[in-house]
Amino acid sequence: CGGPVTLASARACGFGVIYTIALGPTDDVIWIGTDDGRIQVTRDGGERWTDVTPAGVVPWSKIATVDVSPLDPDDVYAAVDTHRLDDFSPHAYRTRDGGRTWTEISAGLPPGGFVDVVRADPERRGLLYAGTDTGVFVSFDDGDHWQPLRLNLPTVWVRDLLVHGNDLVAATQGRAIWILD
């Protein structure tokens, strides 16, 4: 598995699917994450794809989200969900060089709580939000450390996050949408 995203490579890899798509600052930069554990990027509108999967991601992990920082297109964040592999540990990654090197940024996320989303704040560099199967977490140092951001949100699986003005919108699994202001 690996290489360009084609029908032949999908057949060879067991039909993993593109699970997340993130757009770069221009139309020709596209990031994808698959449910078989791959992150790929194109910088020419899809003509050529480069596998930039972090070394620590095991095959058949689900790349739940890829998020390109609105403040620096080389800063990209990935949430990796391994609970289908019976690994409920949190796995989140950061690159500051467009995918050439990656750092795992899971310190402070609860053990046994897999990560479904990491989002960069659109206005404050280094401010990140993570959604796990136990709630929302915040990092003020670009993912080096995390702390809970509960407010009135119950223990719930947070599938996606969106920063809208001064509010953080959390899409949950089966509970609805919560707005943390």
Side-chain angles (χ1 to χ4, degrees), residues 1-18 32 34-36 38 40 60:
C1 296
V5 179
T6 65
L7 182 56
S9 68
R11 284 189 181 128
C13 294
F15 291 99
V17 299
I18 295 172
I32 63 165
T34 65
D35 75 341
D36 64 352
R38 297 285 187 210
Q40 296 196 32
W60 292 102

Side-chain angles (χ1 to χ4, degrees), residues 15-16 29 36 52 59 82 96 100-101 110 129 131 133 144 146 161:
F15 291 99
V29 179
D36 64 352
V52 295
T82 56
R96 292 181 176 149
R100 287 185 287 285
T101 60
Y129 306 97
D133 69 325
D144 290 335
W146 294 91
L161 294 166

Side-chain angles (χ1 to χ4, degrees), residues 80-81 83 87-91 106 109-116 131-135 137:
V80 181
D81 174 358
H83 88 274
D87 175 5
F88 291 84
S89 304
H91 300 286
S106 303
L109 291 171
F114 59 89
V115 182
D116 234 7
T132 74
D133 69 325
T134 62
F137 294 81

